[in-house]
Amino acid sequence: HGVRQMRTAWADGPEFITQCPIRPGGSYTYRFTIQGQEGTLWWHAHSSWLRATVYGALVIHPKEGTSYPFPKPKRETPILLGEWWDANPIDVIRQATRTGAAPNVSDAYTINGQPGDLYKCSSQDTTIVHVDSGETNLLRVINAGLNQQLFFTVANHKFTVVGADATYVKPFTTSVLMLGPGQTTDVLITANQPPARYYMAARAYASAQGAPFDNTTTTAILEYKAAPCPAKGVKINPTFPSLPAFNDTATATAFTSSFRSARKVEVPTEIDENLFFTVGLGLNNCPPGASSSSCQGPNGTRFTASMNNVSFVLPSNFSLLQAHHQGIPGVFSTDFPSVPPVKFDYTGNVSRSLWQPISATKLYRLKYGARVQIVLQGTSIVTAENHPIHLHGYDFYILAEGFGNFNPQTDTSKFNLVDPPLRNTASVPVNGWSVIRFVANNPGVWLMHCHLDVHISWGLAMAFLVENGVTELEALEEPPVDLPVC
């Protein structure tokens, strides 16, 4: 997740986009080169909901002979925030697909695979992070959760944010992080409190009004090595942090809008492709002849989701990249709309006639080297919520974000063209918008999708087809011999 994969789209991973899924008992070797990225990324399964438990950190250290742009931390600890179901996650999404209803929410969150002290099942296995008084450590925080943005904090300690999505940022101080699924944040934490045990805690940032969510809290323990041992038989609980309210959009926004690149950057200023994509939910009417048991969404409908009114359908016999590379017809079309087919009040009271998208496998074609701007506009259809939008194969600059409908006349004045942050996943604000820019210099088929897996299951995705450039070094590499077949 987040590796640039220059010319190696075959190693990107999403099923039916750049490869067919690896069959049970099969194997596939991902071969790629890390270029110009430093910090924290991660890897995960990209097939149905398997990434619920199949994931891990991918740490890119500075090149030999170079160092961090901050004093070298005493130690580094990956902090992987996850989500747990007391069921097979595949069964959870299969049931939702069968019924058309929303899938059951998770039963717990986890830190490095353990739910922590506040759940009845796991207190003896709570993750403990040890520190020495006075030392500064690096925490590499990853939201590997399936369907939930998360707040993360450590009792009585502050963070200095130094990186995100494998890019260094202008350092800033905060007591709470908010990460959407897919996002990573590198923070320095100094052990400057009285030696004791302090809870690290994460819980939901739930922006969708009225939508059910897992309201539990996962904990780990930051333990000073010099913490006094309690007397025999006496249990002293770690200090507990204060966490933002579940719907604290102000705190989430203050955090996401604090990011800046570490130095002035070259942002494309002349734009070749000016795109406007709506992102949001929808409801499909019950198909003719379908039983009511398969239409258990609101008022006998089925949940769906879309970008620009197209609900993305994965092919099943070929991957899109294979179909493009081999010229196989009929697998996809390249007529994904550059703007919504109908203009409407995106964050207002949307007419029910606009709630049902079309289902299709549509790509948007980009010339090699095209300078691309995308306005990502959230909608209030069914319910508005924060969407973590991830683009494969690229990092992009986030120029601005805001609430309501994007207004090109007034909102362009808010663009940061000096030091905008470089990310691979943007948190599009609830009932709001984000504007991103990138140069299409990586040939292949690249998925753009909401990183809430429930939403990608409903079709909140699209894909770019980036053409080869003129030289061999601007062209997609040939597919590896062990590429899985459908």
Side-chain angles (χ1 to χ4, degrees), residues 147 149 178-181 183 205-208 249 252-253 256 279 379 383-389 401 403 426-432 450 452 455:
N147 291 320
Q149 295 85 347
M178 193 289 287
L179 294 90
Q183 294 182 320
Y205 164 48
S207 61
T249 291
T253 306
T256 56
V279 295
T379 78
T383 184
E385 66 183 290
N386 179 294
H387 293 280
I389 301 295
E401 58 177 49
F403 292 98
S427 287
V428 178
V430 53
N431 252 333
C450 181
L452 304 176
H455 290 176

Side-chain angles (χ1 to χ4, degrees), residues 21-29 482 484:
I22 303 166
R23 292 174 183 270
S27 71
Y28 176 46
T29 302
D482 59 342

Side-chain angles (χ1 to χ4, degrees), residues 293-337:
S293 66
S294 65
C295 300
Q296 294 182 35
N299 303 315
T301 57
R302 292 179 58 84
F303 274 107
T304 184
S306 68
M307 297 177 81
N308 276 1
N309 202 48
V310 180
S311 187
F312 192 72
V313 179
L314 288 172
S316 53
N317 296 330
F318 303 97
S319 75
L320 294 173
L321 188 61
Q322 185 187 9
H324 162 60
H325 187 69
Q326 296 177 8
I328 301 166
V331 178
F332 62 84
S333 62
T334 53
D335 56 345
F336 185 87

